[in-house]
Structures are given as structure tokens and as C-alpha cells.
């Protein structure tokens, strides 16, 4: 446990405008696609129009003869150096993972998979010629539906002999963290309440603003790759591990990156192919995808079926929760794709005191785009399920949804609290967040209005949705990741260089792509070292400048990378102290450091830390035996995750005649511990909310029966704009985290995790009196209308009874009690 530093500070908590916005909003930055190198060639990918097919021949002659075309490559041309898209998280030792080559040899497994690349002197010439590549395919049967995949009748990857990738279980009885869930459910069937539901987490597309783009220059001693990635260090590792290029010979640079939301975590086929082409031809090469290519080939998110059984006593005290998931991995096991459902395993019990719990996931391959982390990764799915169930339980017991939650949640004086899933929540105050949210929302008034409108038979009904969420973020203690078979650690590094003229260079291994690290990191260093905010320069996203890093995802950068920075700053102060003492002709023990100055206690003698940096630079009159440097590095590995939480309340109006829904009010009170920059946090919460609301109302990746992504452009994939949202009311409560000295918890995913169930709960609440207890996401007017017409139930999801056999077929492939609960992180 790390002691929280609660010194008063001017920088921590200050709503500074983001430093990086100057160049971003005035168009002065260089995105990857803006990079021009002498003699640079341009790539266009030839992609499969089929979901599953054998490649029988590829005729490249016409394309090769096209104006300005330099080469056309297929698998065999780059097979020796193209690398492999590896998976870093096989969730079980026997997980089945098909080899994923950037360009496959003779079979495509999803629409959009790359079969050839055209290289030309301009991007337009490359695109035109790509149309001339003549590929013959023999179409194979494709499996596109997750429940069909579970039947194993049509195989997505026939050589595996099954669609099943892995089964993973966490069981509270086997893990010693709680009782037997089957017993709890059986008991409730006799004299309590059992709620059984099946929910669909539709497939989503992480539609980042900047499409992916890669430039490779192979002409120097080192191969340099600029790429729109959120994980340059992971990418460098994957390249070195699979292409034969030594790690020291590849420099990956992530310039300013226009969003990722998890979707730029992957080491992509496009990056590998651009690298291979540049190396083959010995010339710089660039590939920038179109939006449509992005939608079909960048990894997708979510895509699960959730079967849930919740048991409770008659008064609503929960006694058990059983979760059975089917997860669609798409055609391949992505970097951490198989682990995404597993990340949710610790979150289904959420803020509640379940005495018994069991989580099961069976992961399947289908012939669709591969699936991996998308904002929240596993935790939104879990939060959705439990927050929907809590509403159902409230209805069953006949009490307000907030009352049922309060009855079951961990009370603020019970922290630290080890949950039934084995997680130790270090801090939280659900009562405080809920109280504040209720007040801001005008909960009682809106409930009264709801009743009035219901009694009056108003065609536009009002619904109120609640989501009292928590999440685990700050990925992650390396020890825990190791116990889960994850291929890497969860530490982060930071370096501070004290320059002679008073400025400070900060190097971080976190790789921001919209989160504002340059500003927040400057605030932390300015606070710690007492130097002006403007004097701090933050460098990141270049493996040559920041050679050590674990990058940005899982809302980890502040709680892990920020703490590394604090520790590096403290080392700077320690190193500077004897030099300051020497300069002041005082003893080290007599010095104190505050506001950037070392002073001799009880006197007005002092020296600034920048003066110490200058003295170190000159090193003319320097204490003997001391290194002439006060620069410092630190690497921090947390002992625990951080557990943000909050209460989100949403009011939705539902037109019962048309099914149209309108958001009336949204209030969220989040507890993310100490806030470094409230302006950045507000931006993160707003963006997160919109993404979560979009899952509830608008977004969904849809395939047709041939496996074509029919929502493959922004015409059909209905990404919201500001015009579709309302002004949110956001506020905070604070219970500091104990796993880092700043007391911070992550915020990057909180809004997305919390908001989806709040919205759907509100819609169902508005029309429950019409017999509706669920609407499948996205809750389009058509679905809402159909739900009202049919008088209830899941609208276009298969009935639970129909789905049953497929869940049962998802049989364990290993002894559930043996080893699979080892990951119950503490
Ligand atoms: N912050 C703060 N005080 C806190 C918590 C956070 O001031 N108590 C600030 C941090 O200093 C940082 C920002 O909020 O500037 C986000 O911090 P953190 O929660 O640590 O998240 P990460 O920086 O690790 O970012 C990852 C997270 C994830 S997982 C997704 S997905 C996501 C997100 O951030 N994708 C984003 N936010 C995004 N924002 C933009 N613009 N684009 C994306 O792709």
C-alpha cells in the first residue's frame, strides 16, 4: 500500500488547458499521413470480398503494367519477412490460435483480409492498379453467427477441427473466495428469487478519428516506422519477435495519433506488410487506409452473448451470480482478444456483496473481423449485465432500483474489501456518489413526473436508468498478469532530465493518443519539483527517445506511468540534495525542499532546483564522489489495480407510438480519486459517455449472410455526433486510491463502462408497464417499437430457451477447478 501524499498543491487539480491542443487544433502537427520522404512509394491493399475462401490464383500482370506501378506482392513474395500477428494472451495453455499471417498463403478467413499489395509512385496509382489484380477464389462455407459457431457445424478455421478457442472459468468455491453458486441458485429456486436473462453485446467498431497510417523508411542504419499506433513499444517487440529484424534495428515512432480507443493497440497486418514492402524494395513506403478499409480491417470490439443467473433472498439480498458467456473472437486470436471476456470476470459482481459467484467464458472463432479491446474491454459488458440484472431484481422485489443496490453494495466503512471474485477494492464510497448524483438529477422529482405521465397515459413515457458502476483499471500488477498467462508485464517507466538552463525534459513510456498526457505529466512534475509548468517538456511515443514503455490502454497511464514520474521526481530531489547542501555550505540533514527550493531550516538561505541543475552541468565546484547528474529514472509496477466507481443516472423519454427515444437528462458522479486535471477529466468523461451511449442507442457492426460488413461506412455505422447528444452534468466524489501516492484512479474508460446500462435501464423503465423487460442493443426506434408491440421480452434476440443448447455445448475443455481460478487477483 502506498501512502497518499496529501500536500496542498497548486498544479494538481488545476484545470489547465491542454498544451498539445495548440498544435492539434491549429493544424500544425504532422499526422503519419502528412509525412513525405524522398522517393517514397505508396501502397494499396487488395482485400478479400469473401468471408471464407480458398485463393486459387492471383494474376498481378495487369496491375504491374499499370502506370506508375513499381511492384505487386502476394504472400510468397514477402513470406520470409512479413512477420506474424501474434497473440499475447492465450487464456489457457491449450487455447487454439490459428496462425495469423499479415498476408495469408492460400485461404482468407474474413472479408477484408489482405491478399496482395500494390506498390506505386502515388497512392492514387496504387489504388487504381489494385482494381486490376485478378484473384480467383473458391468460396468456402462461412460461419458468421456466434451461436452457430458454438455448434461446430461450419468451421471458421477448418484445420483447428473446432470453432472453440478456449474455455475459462473463475469459481468462488474452487478459488476459496466464496460459496457454491449452484447451491445458492438451487436454494433460491425453493424460496427466494432467481432471475435468468440473456443479453447481447453487439459487435462495435472503434471508429477513431484518424484512420490508421504507416510510413516505413528502411534506408538508414535503423529501419524507422512512423505509425498511428497507441502501442509503439508493443509493436517494436512484435516486429522483432516475428520478422527477424533485431529490436535495436527498428525504431517505432507514434507521432500525434488521432484516437484509438483500443483499436490501435494491435500490431496490424498493414504495418507488417508496409514494413516488408519497404525492406524488399529498399525504399520508403507509406500506407494509409480509407475509412471503409478501417471499418472492415481494424479490430472490432464486444460481440458476446451473456447468459446470467442471479439468485437472491425474497427481500432482495443477493446470494449468487452465475455468468456464462459466448465470446466471438472473429477469425483470429488478436493481441489480447481472447482475454477481453476474462477481464470482465472480476467485474460482474461489481460493487455488490455476492456470497457465491461463477464466471465461464467460451471463446469461438467466426469468419468475421478479429475482435480485441475496445474502450472498457470486458468491463462494459460485465457492468451492463449486472446493472441490468439489478433493475430486474428491484422489479421482482418491488422496490426502487437504487434501494436494491444500496441493500447489496459494499458500505464505505467496509473498505478495503475483497470481493467474491477475489479482487481487493482499496477504496470507495458508493453512498456519497449516489447521494450527490440523486441531488443533481432531481431523482425524486423525476420519479414523480414519471408517475404523473404514466397515470395520464402520456404517449411519451419517461424512464429513469441507474448505473452504480465500478471498474478495475490501471493495467496492471505484473504479478497478476503473469498468473493469467498474459505475455507481458504491467509496469511503466519515466525519466526526468534536468537541463542546464532550467527546463525539464520528461520521458514517459506511456503513449498518449488524445488523453492529454503532455499537460497532466507537466502538472505532476511541476508540482513535485516546484518548477514552472511551462518549463516542462514531455517526450513520448518514440522507441528511440522513450525506449522503455508499456504504452497506453486499460486506463493505466496515470496510475502507473504517473506514479513512475512521481518516483523519478523524488529521486531527482534526493540526488540534488547533497549538491544543494554543498552550494549552501550546509548539512544535508538541515535542508528542506519546498516550492522548488532547497533551504536551510530556520534561515533564509536557499537555492532553487534549477540552480542545482546548472551547477551540475558546470560541475566546476562539485562535491567529491557524487555523479555530476541529478537526472533520474523510475519504473513502477503497481501492487493492485485502481477501482474507479460512480453513480450514473439517465432520464429517457420514449415515444410509445413510434419507439423514438430522446435523452432528457444525464448525471454522473464519478469517484476517480485525486484528479490531476479536471478539464482533461471532464473531456474523458464526456467522450466516454458518448461512446457508451452510442452502444445503447446507435452503433452496431452488421454482417449480411455472405459475410459482408454492411455497416462498413459512416452511412450505416451510425456514429453519433455532438448534435445527437445533450449536455451532461458531471461531478465527483473523492476516495483516494491507495495503490499510488497521488491517490488517483483511471478515468479513460469510466464513462463508456457506466453509461450503456444507464441508458437501456431508462428505456426499459419507461415502457416496463407495457410488458417490456428488455430491448436488444442498439435500442433503435424500430426495436423499441417492436418490443412495445410484442408486449415485452427480448425483442430480436433468440429466446433464452433456444439458446440453451448452445451454451451447454460450450463444454469445459479443462477441469474448471484446476488452475483456472489462479488468476483471481489480489
Ligand atoms: N486523469 C486525471 N486525473 C485522474 C485520472 C486521469 O487528470 N484521476 C487524466 C490523465 O492525466 C490523462 C487522462 O485523464 O491525461 C486519462 O488518463 P487515464 O485514465 O490514466 O487513461 P490513459 O491515459 O491510460 O488512456 C487510456 C484510456 C483508454 S483505455 C481508452 S480506450 C481511451 C481513453 O483513454 N481512448 C481514448 N481516452 C481516450 N481519449 C481520446 N481522446 N482518444 C482515445 O483514443
Amino acid at each position: 500500500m502506498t501512502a497518499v501524499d496529501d500536500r496542498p498543491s497548486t498544479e494538481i487539480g488545476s484545470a489547465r488547458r491542454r498544451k498539445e491542443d495548440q498544435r492539434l487544433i491549429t493544424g500544425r502537427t504532422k499526422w503519419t499521413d502528412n509525412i513525405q520522404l524522398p522517393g517514397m512509394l505508396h501502397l494499396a491493399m487488395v482485400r478479400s470480398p469473401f468471408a471464407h475462401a480458398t485463393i486459387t490464383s492471383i494474376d498481378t500482370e495487369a496491375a504491374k503494367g499499370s502506370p506508375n506501378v513499381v511492384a505487386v506482392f502476394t504472400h510468397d513474395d514477402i513470406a520470409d519477412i512479413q512477420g506474424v500477428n501474434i497473440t499475447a494472451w492465450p487464456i489457457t495453455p491449450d487455447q487454439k490460435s490459428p496462425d495469423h499471417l499479415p498476408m495469408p498463403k492460400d485461404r482468407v478467413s474474413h472479408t477484408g483480409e489482405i491478399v496482395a499489395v500494390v506498390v506505386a509512385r502515388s497512392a492514387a496509382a496504387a489504388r487504381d492498379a489494385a482494381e486490376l489484380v485478378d484473384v480467383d477464389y473458391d468460396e468456402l462455407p462461412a460461419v458468421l453467427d456466434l451461436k452457430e459457431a458454438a455448434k461446430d457445424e461450419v468451421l471458421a478455421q477448418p484445420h483447428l477441427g473446432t470453432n472453440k478457442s478456449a474455455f475459462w472459468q473463475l469459481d468462488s468455491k474452487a478459488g476459496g473466495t466464496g460459496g457454491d453458486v449452484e447451491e445458492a441458485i438451487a436454494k433460491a429456486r425453493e424460496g427466494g428469487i432467481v432471475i435468468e436473462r440473456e443479453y447481447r453485446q453487439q459487435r462495435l467498431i472503434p471508429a477513431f478519428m484518424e484512420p490508421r497510417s504507416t510510413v516505413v523508411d528502411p534506408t538508414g542504419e535503423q529501419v524507422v516506422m512512423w505509425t498511428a499506433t497507441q502501442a509503439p513499444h508493443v509493436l517494436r517487440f512484435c516486429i522483432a519477435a516475428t520478422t527477424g529484424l533485431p529490436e535495436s534495428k527498428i525504431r517505432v515512432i507514434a507521432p500525434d495519433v488521432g484516437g484509438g480507443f483500443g483499436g490501435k493497440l494491435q500490431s496490424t497486418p498493414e504495418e507488417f506488410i508496409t514494413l516488408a514492402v519497404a525492406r524488399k524494395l529498399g525504399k520508403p513506403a507509406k500506407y494509409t487506409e480509407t475509412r471503409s478499409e478501417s471499418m472492415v480491417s481494424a479490430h472490432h470490439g464486444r460481440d458476446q452473448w451473456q447468459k446470467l443467473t442471479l439468485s437472491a433472498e425474497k427481500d432482495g439480498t443477493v446470494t449468487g451470480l452465475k455468468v456464462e458467456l459466448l465470446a466471438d473472437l472473429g477469425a483470429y486470436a488478436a493481441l489480447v482478444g481472447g482475454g477481453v471476456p476474462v477481464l470482465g470476470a472480476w467485474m460482474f459482481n461489481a460493487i455488490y456483496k455476492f456470497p457465491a459467484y461463477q464466471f465461464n467464458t467460451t471463446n469461438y472463432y467466426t469468419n468475421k473481423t478479429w475482435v480485441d479491446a475496445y474502450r472498457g474491454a470486458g468491463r462494459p459488458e460485465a457492468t451492463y449485465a449486472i446493472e441490468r440484472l439489478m433493475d430486474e431484481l428491484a422489479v421482482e422485489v418491488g422496490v426502487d432500483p437504487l434501494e436494491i443496490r444500496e441493500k447489496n453494495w459494499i458500505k464505505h466503512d467496509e473498505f478495503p474489501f475483497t470481493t467474491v471474485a477475489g479482487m481487493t477494492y482499496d477504496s470507495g464510497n458508493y453512498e456519497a456518489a449516489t447521494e450527490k448524483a440523486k441531488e443533481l438529477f432531481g431523482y425524486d422529482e423525476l420519479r414523480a413526473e414519471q408517475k404523473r405521465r404514466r397515470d395520464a397515459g402520456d404517449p411519451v413515457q419517461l424512464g429513469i436508468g441507474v448505473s452504480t458502476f465500478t471498474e478495475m483499471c490501471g493495467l496492471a500488477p505484473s504479478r497478476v498478469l503473469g498468473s493469467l498467462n498474459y505475455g507481458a508485464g504491467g509496469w511503466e517507466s519515466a525519466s526526468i532530465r534536468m537541463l542546464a538552463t532550467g527546463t525539464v525534459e520528461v520521458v514517459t513510456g506511456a503513449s498518449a493518443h488524445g488523453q492529454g498526457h503532455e499537460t497532466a505529466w507537466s502538472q505532476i512534475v511541476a508540482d513535485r519539483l516546484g518548477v514552472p509548468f511551462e518549463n516542462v517538456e514531455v517526450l513520448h511515443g518514440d522507441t528511440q527517445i522513450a525506449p522503455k514503455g508499456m504504452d497506453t490502454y486499460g486506463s493505466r497511464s496515470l496510475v502507473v506511468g504517473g506514479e513512475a514520474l512521481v518516483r523519478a521526481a523524488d529521486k531527482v530531489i534526493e540526488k540534488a540534495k547533497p549538491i544543494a547542501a554543498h552550494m549552501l555550505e550546509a548539512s544535508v540533514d538541515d535542508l528542506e525542499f519546498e516550492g522548488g527550493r532547497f533551504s536551510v531550516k530556520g534561515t533564509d538561505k536557499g537555492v532553487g532546483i534549477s540552480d542545482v541543475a546548472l551547477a551540475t552541468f558546470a560541475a566546476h565546484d562539485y562535491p567529491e564522489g557524487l555523479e555530476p547528474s541529478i537526472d533520474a529514472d523510475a519504473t513502477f509496477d503497481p501492487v493492485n489495480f485502481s477501482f474507479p466507481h460512480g453513480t450514473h443516472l439517465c432520464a429517457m423519454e420514449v415515444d410509445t407510438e413510434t419507439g423514438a427515444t430522446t435523452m432528457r437528462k444525464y448525471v454522473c458522479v464519478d469517484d476517480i480519486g485525486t484528479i490531476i486535471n479536471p478539464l482533461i477529466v471532464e473531456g474523458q468523461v464526456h467522450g466516454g459517455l458518448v461512446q457508451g451511449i452510442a452502444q445503447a442507442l446507435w452503433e452496431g457492426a452488421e454482417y449480411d449472410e455472405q459475410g459482408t460488413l454492411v455497416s462498413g461506412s459512416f452511412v450505416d455505422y451510425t456514429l453519433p455526433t455532438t448534435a445527437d447528444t445533450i449536455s451532461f452534468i458531471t461531478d465527483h466524489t473523492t476516495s483516494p486510491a491507495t495503490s499510488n501516492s497521488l491517490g488517483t484512479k483511471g478515468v479513460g474508460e469510466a464513462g463508456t463502462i457506466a453509461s450503456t446500462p444507464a441508458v437501456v435501464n431508462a428505456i426499459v423503465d419507461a415502457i416496463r408497464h407495457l410488458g417490456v423487460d428488455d430491448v436488444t442493443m442498439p435500442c433503435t426506434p424500430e426495436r423499441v417499437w417492436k418490443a412495445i408491440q410484442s408486449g415485452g421480452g427480448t425483442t430480436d434476440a433468440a429466446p433464452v430457451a433456444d439458446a440453451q443448447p448452445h451454451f451447454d455445448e460450450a463444454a469445459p475443455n479443462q477441469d474448471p477447478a484446476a488452475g483456472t481460478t489462479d488468476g483471481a487477483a489480489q
Side-chain angles (χ1 to χ4, degrees), residues 18 208 230 257-263 374-376 379 473 510 512-521 523-524 551-560 672-678 680-681 684 691 743-749:
R18 300 199 323 178
F208 30 76
Q230 58 189 85
V257 174
F261 310 113
Y374 170 53
R375 207 168 192 173
R379 292 151 289 159
C473 65
H513 44 282
Q515 290 86 354
H517 293 176
E518 287 170 40
T519 306
W521 275 214
Q523 289 180 259
I524 294 170
D551 303 322
T552 290
Y553 42 83
S555 305
R556 66 185 305 272
S557 302
L558 179 60
V559 297
V560 191
I672 53 166
T674 309
I675 292 176
I676 304 301
N677 183 321
I680 291 180
V681 162
Q684 286 294 314
Q691 272 176 314
T744 60
K745 309 173 187 179
V747 75
E749 297 156 294

Side-chain angles (χ1 to χ4, degrees), residues 605-640:
K605 273 172 71 179
V607 62
I609 194 160
S610 305
D611 300 326
V612 178
L614 182 61
T616 310
F617 171 74
H620 292 164
D621 170 25
Y622 206 73
E624 263 179 45
L626 280 188
E627 178 191 359
S629 164
I630 57 170
D631 297 350
D633 304 329
T635 303
F636 176 64
D637 199 342
V639 292
N640 198 356

Side-chain angles (χ1 to χ4, degrees), residues 350-603:
I351 64 171
Y352 310 110
K353 294 188 274 187
F354 279 96
Y357 173 60
Q358 190 186 76
F359 169 93
N360 305 274
T361 185
T362 318
N363 297 351
Y364 290 99
Y365 295 110
T366 59
N367 295 111
K368 290 183 290 186
T369 300
W370 47 343
V371 172
D372 206 326
Y374 170 53
R375 207 168 192 173
R379 292 151 289 159
E381 297 91 317
T383 305
Y384 181 84
I386 186 64
E387 290 305 299
R388 292 281 297 108
L389 287 179
M390 279 294 160
D391 264 28
E392 298 305 306
L393 181 60
V395 170
E396 200 69 31
V397 179
V399 296
D400 186 275
L402 280 172
E403 194 180 324
I404 207 78
R405 285 167 168 82
E406 183 157 14
K407 187 178 193 68
N408 288 294
W409 73 41
I410 302 157
K411 305 294 176 290
H412 71 273
D413 54 5
E414 292 178 294
F415 288 92
F417 186 92
T418 299
T419 71
V420 72
M423 275 286 159
T424 300
Y425 296 174
D426 58 344
S427 70
N429 190 334
Y430 310 137
E431 295 91 326
T434 303
E435 216 31 64
K436 200 169 199 177
K438 272 180 78 175
E439 206 180 305
L440 289 169
F441 191 69
Y443 191 81
D444 296 335
E445 294 81 357
L446 280 166
R447 281 278 178 222
E449 180 185 334
Q450 178 186 38
K451 183 168 184 317
R452 275 199 308 277
R453 286 165 72 167
R454 194 157 292 182
D455 292 347
D458 191 333
V460 180
Q461 288 288 319
L462 182 67
I464 294 169
V466 175
S467 170
T468 47
F469 87 107
T470 190
E471 57 144 329
M472 58 181 226
C473 65
L475 296 178
S478 299
R479 193 169 48 89
V480 176
L481 293 177
S483 73
L484 292 172
N485 220 19
Y486 185 76
W491 47 264
E492 196 45 86
S493 83
S495 303
I496 297 180
R497 295 200 285 259
M498 303 297 293
L499 303 184
T501 54
T503 51
V504 182
E505 244 174 27
V506 170
V507 175
T508 173
S511 189
H513 44 282
Q515 290 86 354
H517 293 176
E518 287 170 40
T519 306
W521 275 214
S522 298
Q523 289 180 259
I524 294 170
V525 171
D527 170 69
R528 213 68 190 182
L529 296 181
V531 295
F533 168 81
E534 295 75 16
N535 284 6
V536 185
E537 197 68 37
V538 179
L539 308 175
H540 64 94
D542 179 338
T543 58
Q544 205 69 5
I545 290 170
K548 266 184 74 180
M550 278 294 175
D551 303 322
T552 290
Y553 42 83
S555 305
R556 66 185 305 272
S557 302
L558 179 60
V559 297
V560 191
E563 179 65 15
L565 203 52
V566 167
R567 290 175 184 222
D570 288 350
K571 284 187 189 173
V572 167
I573 296 166
E574 278 315 300
K575 284 178 87 173
K577 218 179 220 175
I579 304 157
H582 177 76
M583 292 168 79
L584 293 165
E585 296 175 339
S587 148
V588 166
D589 296 339
D590 289 338
L591 289 194
E592 55 191 8
F593 182 73
E594 211 192 316
R597 262 182 96 69
F598 290 98
S599 44
V600 184
K601 285 176 204 158
T603 74

Side-chain angles (χ1 to χ4, degrees), residues 762-798:
I763 292 172
V764 173
D765 185 56
I767 52 178
R768 195 180 281 280
H769 63 294
L770 304 174
V772 177
D773 69 0
D774 192 26
V775 181
T776 305
M777 294 188 292
C779 303
T780 56
E782 183 193 0
R783 283 186 170 149
V784 174
W785 184 84
K786 277 185 179 164
I788 294 168
Q789 299 309 306
S790 65
T794 304
T795 47
D796 57 0

